[in-house]
Amino acid sequence: MLLSGKTAIISGAASPRGIGLATARRFAAEGARVAILDIDADAAADAAASLGKSHIGLRCDVADKSSCEQAVARVIEALGGIDILVNNAGITQPVKLLEITAADWDRIQDVNLKGVLFLSQAVIPHMRARKSGSIACMSSVSAQRGGGIFGGPHYSAAKAGVLGLAKAMAREFGPDGIRVNCVTPGLIGTDITAGKLSDEMRAKILEGIPLNRLGTAEDVAGIYTFLASDLSAYVTGAVIDVNGGMLIH
Ligand code: NAD
């Protein structure tokens, strides 16, 4: 098993069809104990229970620094330490540039970008003291091509910000044994896109995807598992595309 004896925090992992919960399942199957952090407390508890007894689910709003600090302290108490952090929580909004209000901008930056900063700030001192840790951050193809399918320009900007922030963290904390990497998924079938995709849109999107299918939450979970495990021991500051070839650099 790739994560035997490891402990992991995954943010935004309570949504039943989401990438976070698929990752939690995969981590648990690889031998890790998982803390699911989500803004929805009941869903986080249910998701953790669905994984088995040794996992926990806690409420955490990643956009709130003290909420992150409290949740991380509880995880360290419950699991004894944190080897892996997956900054996965995110929200989107499909609007055009001229429609973005100040409140929309703040909300999208707060969860997608500031959330990565706050949860990382809460976890890194602990990882630094242990001279070891792996952090994986959720960006998006939207950051790379200036728009995905469902994210507005503010979402692209936030996810592009995640790339810069993660690379800066990789530089700063590499000497402390902490690796930081990003994933950039294309279109993945989860609740974030549920009900928004007509048959016509789907056919058009597939024309631009060489592997000729949408991604699954498990496709991304596999990459998070690689980044969390020692298979990627010499990988930091990297960005891994999980997009079926939708964007080939
Ligand atoms: P999802 O909506 O199923 O999951 C997002 C989760 O984040 C939910 O459980 C939600 O409750 C949680 N969340 C929202 N705000 C939060 C907050 N403030 N604090 C803590 N948790 C919060 O969507 P998903 O598709 O599984 O998305 C997971 C991540 O992947 C997001 O960052 C998203 O932007 C990114 N992403 C998704 C796709 C896609 O096509 N689905 C593509 C690229 C990137």
Side-chain angles (χ1 to χ4, degrees):
M1 289 197 288
L2 289 170
L3 304 177
S4 203
K6 304 259 192 203
T7 53
I9 284 182
I10 308 176
S11 70
S15 172
R17 288 178 356 107
I19 293 166
L21 184 51
T23 303
R25 273 192 220 106
R26 183 67 196 267
F27 279 17
E30 296 289 351
R33 287 203 294 158
V34 180
I36 288 177
L37 268 45
D38 202 281
I39 196 154
D40 184 335
D42 291 343
D46 289 350
S50 77
L51 297 178
K53 278 206 172 89
S54 50
H55 311 281
I56 58 168
L58 300 174
R59 184 185 184 280
C60 173
D61 176 359
V62 295
D64 176 342
K65 193 170 162 78
S66 67
S67 176
C68 291
E69 288 168 350
Q70 283 167 29
V72 167
R74 284 182 65 190
V75 173
I76 293 171
E77 205 181 295
L79 302 185
I82 304 163
D83 299 299
I84 300 155
L85 167 63
V86 180
N87 281 308
N88 175 74
I91 54 170
T92 189
Q93 184 190 26
V95 289
K96 302 249 186 239
L97 186 99
L98 295 179
E99 295 159 7
I100 297 170
T101 66
D104 290 337
W105 175 267
D106 287 348
R107 198 165 47 87
I108 295 291
Q109 305 307 313
D110 282 356
V111 179
N112 292 293
L113 181 54
K114 207 151 83 173
V116 174
L117 174 71
F118 286 163
L119 197 52
S120 300
Q121 282 180 326
V123 168
I124 284 172
H126 170 77
M127 287 183 167
R128 187 152 66 167
R130 304 166 95 208
K131 289 278 171 214
S132 153
S134 174
I135 300 177
C137 302
M138 176 56 90
S139 180
S140 168
V141 71
S142 178
Q144 300 163 309
R145 59 188 291 271
I149 313 286
F150 294 106
H154 50 351
Y155 178 80
S156 297
K159 293 298 193 186
V162 171
L163 297 179
L165 177 61
K167 288 178 188 184
M169 292 197 293
R171 273 187 198 283
E172 188 172 340
F173 299 107
D176 293 304
I178 302 170
R179 299 184 295 107
V180 187
N181 295 288
C182 284
V183 292
T184 43
L187 191 56
I188 310 297
T190 69
D191 287 338
I192 219 167
T193 53
K196 294 175 192 146
L197 200 60
S198 67
D199 287 348
E200 198 184 329
M201 262 174 96
R202 190 189 181 85
K204 207 167 158 219
I205 291 165
L206 288 181
E207 277 174 23
I209 302 178
L211 291 184
N212 200 34
R213 65 171 176 86
L214 299 191
T216 65
E218 289 71 25
D219 289 327
V220 185
I223 301 305
Y224 271 147
T225 305
F226 165 71
L227 291 173
S229 79
D230 291 341
L231 286 179
S232 59
Y234 200 51
V235 179
T236 198
V239 178
I240 302 191
D241 293 346
V242 195
N243 64 24
M246 177 195 266
L247 178 75
I248 298 179
H249 303 260

